[in-house]
Amino acid sequence: MIKVKFNFLLLLMLSVIGYAQNKEITIGGTLTDAATKTTVPYATIVVKDNTTDEVLSGTTSNDNGFFNIKTTANNFYVEVSFMGYKTQSFKNIDTSKNVVDLGTIVLEENSQALAAVEVRAEVSKTQFKLDKKVFNVGKDIASTGVSALEVLNNVPSVNVDIEGAVSLRGSSGVQILIDGKPSVLTESGSNALGTITAEMIESIEVITNPSAKYDAEGTAGILNIILKKEEKKGLNGSVSVNTGIPDNHSVGVSMNRRTEKFNLFTQFGGGYKSYPRYNENINENKIEDSRLVSEGTSYRNEVFYNLILGTDYHIDDYNVLTLSGNIAYEIEDQPSETNYSSYLNDVLQSEWIRTEETEATNPKWQYEFNYSKEFKNNKEHILLFSALGRFFGKDLSSEFTNSTLSGTNKEKDQQTETKFQQADYTFKLDYTNPISDEYTIETGGQYVINDVGNDYEVRNYNGSDFVVDNNLTNTFDYNQKVLGLYGTGAYENDTWGVKIGARIENTDLTITNEGAKGVQNYTNLFPSAHTSYKFTDSFSLQAGYSKRIYRPRLWDLNPFISISDNYNIRAGNPDLQPEFTDSYELTSIYKIGKATMSTSVYYRYTTDVMERIAIIEYDPESKNDVTTRTPFNVGSRNTTGVEINGKYTATKWLSFNGDFNWNYFDRRGVYENQNFDFSADNWSTRLNSKISFPLDIDMELTGNYRSSNQTVQGEDSGYAFADLGLRKKMLKGRAVINFAIRDIFESRISESVIDNDRSYQYSFGQRGRFFTLGFSYGFGKGEAMTYSGKRR
């Protein structure tokens, strides 16, 4: 009996000891910066054995500085470390409790470590979040000394064509924001994005399936450009000087001064750029056996200035006011010369040269007020209000002169004058409340006013004077108001998350064209849903759905005719309706050894698709075809695609980045009894390699290919092109010299063909090779296009 009791007591003691050894303890806390009071994400937290200092488990803090780590050990301590900060250790932890809250951990800068250590986050990297991808702009050579358009062209899923048009996964229905808001610098038809240089950009958010929190505009999604706003104490900044061939000269300065209450920031720059473009067109009428051939080079010479000035005022630890302004000014000069040859029955009838002299001034400005309130119970419990006003003007005049070389030229000398003004106002309120560690709700609203006016006048020379052509002259006014309200709810833990929401928008549009008024008023519901699941540290899945709208822009609606080429005309359509798209996406993210990769499968269904239709008419006076390209709503489009992005680090001196995008689309539509039903596919790919040499010299080589694309009436040709970059660091990384060649083989082209029983239309355009040379220097705690120490 005694032996039985002893065995029972022994078994009970072993069970208690085993339970104590296997008990899981959860340790949590939040990391903050001692100087700025901001949270510190991506710091390293490890659990170590008290006796052997062996690492038992580890994790990193999330975007909000919070961490949560578990262990079954009972003799351990916790260590917190991050580059540029002093390491902290927490010992004598009470292991009798299942949950240990270390509270708010304040990290102090380690100035000696900052001076001695360089963070080699040189190639831009992509982070994946619940409803977006974040492309952090690093020290890529090809992005140095270039504009925001070139930076966008290096972002996975994004393409920028020869004309500067931005597309996302092959679709042009993309909305571009700056710091989460519309900007005069992103207006369609404006080259103002060229005034933002790579040195000014912190990151670019790629939101292919935006949640209901975001404006529903943009059927392909949203690109959000986040500008740098340094918050290190003292005076910090950098200066850059760039030059290039063709003319591409600029100077940029970024400065920041941080005190306890104020954060003053400014960025300003100026320069001169020249954009030459070679064009060739063939208009052939097979019935009349006539052909018109034109070729020539046009230039867009531009002097530009850009100034951003603002301040953050920290009223207290929970309330911040921000005032900022942006002024940009461009002076354009656009000379061109085009040679025309007219044939009838393959016999040359006439030759002439048409020259263009265009001058324009483009003033732009923007002002903004923001108020941010952080609630005491949670740093993520935030109320944001913003009011934004912006203006864009263009005062343009052109003169076209024709010189006959042979035969009879019936073209008239002409003059045009354009006065354009656009004023936009945006009022936005956002409220975010994390009601628990897992649940978050968001709600808010936005009211946008767009008020645009465009006066366009054409004058023809009658032999003695220029006389107004009433058939081509018009006054066009565009006033649009959009009211949006939204709500979302999200649940997210360490492995799984889901976010659903809905947005309702009312659009009130009034168009006045030469006194004739048209009104459109419609209300739409835009639901969204996103989810993610983390299977392991190396593999996770994301899925999303959203409904989007693409409203026609001013230049899509304005029926004015461009007379730069009287035989190849682009005009708008005031009856154009918006596109609507239902977008679905499934993305996997995984790591395999030294490689990281993401694969997305997506599907988009778009109704009332806007297509530019070429209307070809025979002009009996000139005996040539005249092609007018005008947008119309033509049927629907189903698109199914696959996108793959990846990175492979072969060695310390060699790495590769690449992406591949393929999509198949089914087009259905009829316009004026012409059937546009067809199916086709297209694809694009990009591969970037980086090689590091001794003496702090790096080289990057990027290859791109874009396949041909079938359109409703013809085909756009494919093309391949390559870029090369070299960099040399000096003065311990404070100074950097960069050299780049864009489009090494001059193979990046724009080429389209329309070929039917009646006519043959050919269009070709090419920008050519560009060379750039840049120098950048960082002062204070600023860097020369590099990130060092802590995350900003």
Side-chain angles (χ1 to χ4, degrees):
M1 185 69 178
I2 295 175
K3 183 178 180 180
V4 172
K5 288 183 178 180
F6 175 79
N7 289 337
F8 175 76
L9 290 173
L10 180 62
L11 180 61
L12 181 61
M13 290 174 63
L14 290 174
S15 299
V16 171
I17 294 172
Y19 173 76
Q21 288 176 338
N22 294 322
K23 183 179 68 172
E24 187 176 70
I25 299 174
T26 301
I27 306 152
T30 302
L31 309 180
T32 63
D33 184 292
T36 66
K37 309 300 181 184
T38 58
T39 58
V40 181
Y42 316 125
T44 301
I45 300 94
V46 294
V47 174
K48 292 186 175 182
D49 187 279
N50 258 325
T51 304
T52 64
D53 289 331
E54 177 188 356
V55 176
L56 304 176
S57 61
T59 188
T60 59
S61 55
N62 65 13
D63 285 350
N64 302 302
F66 177 77
F67 69 88
N68 192 303
I69 190 171
K70 297 179 180 180
T71 181
T72 56
N74 59 3
N75 184 27
F76 64 89
Y77 68 95
V78 177
E79 186 176 272
V80 179
S81 62
F82 191 51
M83 186 72 68
Y85 290 94
K86 297 178 181 178
T87 300
Q88 293 195 34
S89 298
F90 297 86
K91 300 185 177 180
N92 300 321
I93 294 176
D94 185 1
T95 59
S96 65
K97 300 178 181 179
N98 292 332
V99 177
V100 177
D101 185 5
L102 296 180
T104 300
I105 302 172
V106 180
L107 299 181
E108 296 181 355
E109 283 192 13
N110 186 341
S111 57
Q112 293 180 347
L114 277 173
V117 180
E118 176 190 3
V119 179
R120 299 187 60 86
E122 301 196 351
V123 176
S124 302
K125 296 181 179 180
T126 304
Q127 294 176 289
F128 294 86
K129 298 191 176 182
L130 188 61
D131 57 354
K132 61 189 171 186
K133 290 182 286 188
V134 181
F135 182 81
N136 295 300
V137 179
K139 298 185 288 185
D140 303 71
I141 307 170
S143 293
T144 301
V146 299
S147 73
L149 288 173
E150 281 82 11
V151 176
L152 284 171
N153 204 40
N154 285 325
V155 174
S157 308
V158 180
N159 276 299
V160 182
D161 71 11
I162 192 172
E163 298 291 345
V166 181
S167 61
L168 182 59
R169 287 180 174 168
S171 174
S172 60
V174 56
Q175 185 184 29
I176 303 176
L177 307 176
I178 293 181
D179 289 332
K181 307 173 190 69
S183 171
V184 294
L185 301 179
T186 63
E187 282 303 312
S188 176
S190 166
N191 192 47
L193 272 177
T195 66
I196 300 177
T197 62
E199 295 88 339
M200 298 180 178
I201 300 174
E202 177 86 23
S203 62
I204 296 174
E205 297 178 344
V206 181
I207 311 170
T208 51
N209 259 323
S211 72
K213 178 179 180 178
Y214 296 94
D215 188 353
E217 179 68 37
T219 52
I222 294 173
L223 296 175
N224 185 23
I225 300 173
I226 307 297
L227 299 180
K228 292 178 183 176
K229 190 170 62 177
E230 180 62 77
E231 290 192 352
K232 293 177 181 174
K233 280 193 174 181
L235 179 63
N236 316 290
S238 64
V239 59
S240 64
V241 181
N242 302 286
T243 187
I245 303 173
D247 290 325
N248 181 8
H249 318 295
S250 65
V251 176
V253 177
S254 175
M255 291 192 298
N256 161 264
R257 181 169 180 80
R258 182 75 161 91
T259 66
E260 291 296 331
K261 287 288 186 179
F262 286 94
N263 178 44
L264 305 173
F265 54 92
T266 182
Q267 294 171 347
F268 55 91
Y272 172 77
K273 294 183 179 181
S274 178
Y275 296 95
R277 176 181 169 85
Y278 172 77
N279 297 284
E280 181 182 344
N281 290 280
I282 300 174
N283 288 14
E284 181 179 332
N285 187 310
K286 297 179 180 179
I287 298 174
E288 302 292 340
D289 200 13
S290 66
R291 185 172 73 257
L292 180 68
V293 179
S294 66
E295 64 170 344
T297 301
S298 61
Y299 294 86
R300 182 172 180 172
N301 305 322
E302 181 182 278
V303 177
F304 65 90
Y305 308 94
N306 184 43
L307 171 65
I308 298 173
L309 183 65
T311 181
D312 296 323
Y313 173 56
H314 296 258
I315 302 171
D316 52 35
D317 290 342
Y318 304 99
N319 296 273
V320 180
L321 292 176
T322 300
L323 291 172
S324 64
N326 181 186
I327 299 175
Y329 192 76
E330 302 163 4
I331 304 172
E332 295 182 19
D333 174 28
Q334 301 178 24
S336 70
E337 184 175 282
T338 305
N339 295 277
Y340 289 86
S341 301
S342 178
Y343 296 85
L344 186 62
N345 299 320
D346 288 330
V347 178
L348 180 64
Q349 300 296 304
S350 61
E351 290 180 289
W352 70 96
I353 296 176
R354 183 175 175 87
T355 60
E356 174 186 355
E357 290 292 338
T358 293
E359 295 180 349
T361 55
N362 308 327
K364 305 177 178 72
W365 61 79
Q366 177 173 303
Y367 44 90
E368 182 177 359
F369 167 79
N370 285 303
Y371 168 67
S372 171
K373 177 177 177 55
E374 181 183 295
F375 293 86
K376 294 182 179 181
N377 66 320
N378 193 312
K379 292 182 179 296
E380 297 179 23
H381 188 184
I382 296 174
L383 176 70
L384 295 172
F385 171 76
S386 67
L388 171 72
R390 53 193 177 128
F391 172 85
F392 170 47
K394 179 182 282 288
D395 193 344
L396 181 148
S397 61
S398 302
E399 183 163 346
F400 302 91
T401 306
N402 299 278
S403 303
T404 303
L405 300 178
S406 66
T408 302
N409 170 32
K410 297 182 180 180
E411 291 300 302
K412 300 176 182 178
D413 292 348
Q414 295 172 297
Q415 294 177 340
T416 67
E417 190 168 344
T418 301
K419 292 187 181 297
F420 172 84
Q421 291 186 330
Q422 175 172 347
D424 300 322
Y425 307 95
T426 302
F427 304 93
K428 191 174 183 181
L429 183 67
D430 296 297
Y431 174 71
T432 302
N433 185 359
I435 54 181
S436 70
D437 290 342
E438 288 90 14
Y439 293 94
T440 301
I441 59 172
E442 297 173 315
T443 188
Q446 178 176 277
Y447 186 56
V448 181
I449 303 171
N450 308 117
D451 195 1
V452 184
N454 187 75
D455 294 341
Y456 181 69
E457 183 176 273
V458 178
R459 297 183 290 270
N460 298 322
Y461 189 66
N462 64 4
S464 60
D465 198 3
F466 284 94
V467 179
V468 174
D469 187 336
N470 292 319
N471 293 323
L472 300 180
T473 297
N474 84 320
T475 300
F476 188 85
D477 293 308
Y478 167 95
N479 184 273
Q480 179 175 268
K481 302 179 181 69
V482 179
L483 173 63
L485 301 171
Y486 76 90
T488 73
Y491 170 82
E492 189 171 10
N493 57 31
D494 292 338
T495 58
W496 179 67
V498 63
K499 184 176 184 178
I500 59 174
R503 184 182 188 93
I504 187 169
E505 289 190 353
N506 172 261
T507 304
D508 184 10
L509 174 63
T510 302
I511 300 173
T512 306
N513 180 39
E514 286 297 291
K517 183 177 290 187
V519 177
Q520 297 180 24
N521 191 291
Y522 46 90
T523 300
N524 306 102
L525 179 66
F526 300 95
S528 68
H530 298 82
T531 186
S532 66
Y533 189 83
K534 183 179 180 181
F535 291 88
T536 66
D537 289 338
S538 301
F539 179 70
S540 59
L541 283 177
Q542 294 177 331
Y545 162 78
S546 66
K547 186 178 182 68
R548 311 291 299 160
I549 185 174
Y550 182 75
R551 299 177 180 89
R553 297 331 195 232
L554 168 75
W555 306 113
D556 298 318
L557 297 166
N558 194 343
F560 89 94
I561 294 174
S562 169
I563 64 170
S564 295
D565 183 343
N566 283 322
Y567 297 93
N568 296 280
I569 297 169
R570 295 174 70 89
N573 176 8
D575 297 323
L576 207 59
Q577 301 294 311
E579 290 182 358
F580 291 92
T581 295
D582 289 282
S583 178
Y584 305 82
E585 180 176 358
L586 177 65
T587 299
S588 62
I589 308 159
Y590 44 93
K591 300 177 182 178
I592 306 174
K594 296 181 179 180
T596 58
M597 184 175 293
S598 70
T599 302
S600 298
V601 179
Y602 59 90
Y603 171 77
R604 294 195 299 258
Y605 176 67
T606 304
T607 57
D608 292 326
V609 179
M610 285 185 273
E611 294 277 7
R612 281 200 172 267
I613 304 298
I615 302 173
I616 304 169
E617 297 177 320
Y618 182 71
D619 178 20
E621 184 176 358
S622 65
K623 294 183 173 56
N624 288 297
D625 275 351
V626 177
T627 303
T628 303
R629 289 175 170 83
T630 305
F632 294 92
N633 295 108
V634 185
S636 63
R637 178 184 178 116
N638 289 277
T639 303
T640 303
V642 176
E643 183 180 44
I644 301 173
N645 298 301
K647 178 187 176 182
Y648 175 67
T649 304
T651 65
K652 291 182 178 180
W653 55 269
L654 177 64
S655 63
F656 299 93
N657 281 278
D659 62 81
F660 172 82
N661 182 33
W662 171 87
N663 67 73
Y664 172 84
F665 59 90
D666 184 40
R667 195 73 177 78
R668 292 289 179 264
V670 177
Y671 174 72
E672 290 190 350
N673 299 321
Q674 184 177 355
N675 192 316
F676 288 125
D677 293 354
F678 70 97
S679 299
D681 68 341
N682 57 63
W683 60 279
S684 64
T685 186
R686 174 172 51 214
L687 179 64
N688 169 275
S689 61
K690 179 182 175 186
I691 305 173
S692 297
F693 297 100
L695 303 177
D696 278 335
I697 298 174
D698 298 319
M699 180 179 76
E700 284 178 358
L701 181 63
T702 304
N704 297 262
Y705 178 76
R706 192 166 187 176
S707 73
S708 59
N709 179 52
Q710 186 175 345
T711 64
V712 292
Q713 290 177 292
E715 185 177 27
D716 296 334
S717 297
Y719 58 86
F721 68 97
D723 300 328
L724 173 70
L726 292 169
R727 174 180 60 221
K728 164 65 178 172
K729 290 184 292 184
M730 301 178 298
L731 303 177
K732 298 181 179 180
R734 282 266 183 209
V736 177
I737 293 179
N738 305 275
F739 174 73
I741 308 175
R742 301 189 66 81
D743 196 3
I744 300 172
F745 306 105
E746 295 187 279
S747 54
R748 191 178 182 188
I749 62 172
S750 172
E751 186 177 42
S752 64
V753 174
I754 298 176
D755 192 1
N756 53 46
D757 295 337
R758 181 195 175 280
S759 62
Y760 172 81
Q761 304 284 319
Y762 175 78
S763 176
F764 176 88
Q766 184 179 34
R767 288 287 187 198
R769 186 185 297 113
F770 286 75
F771 298 87
T772 60
L773 177 66
F775 174 80
S776 178
Y777 178 77
F779 55 88
K781 292 183 181 179
E783 301 94 15
M785 279 140 11
T786 181
Y787 299 114
S788 178
K790 66 181 181 182
R791 178 181 180 271
R792 294 173 179 164

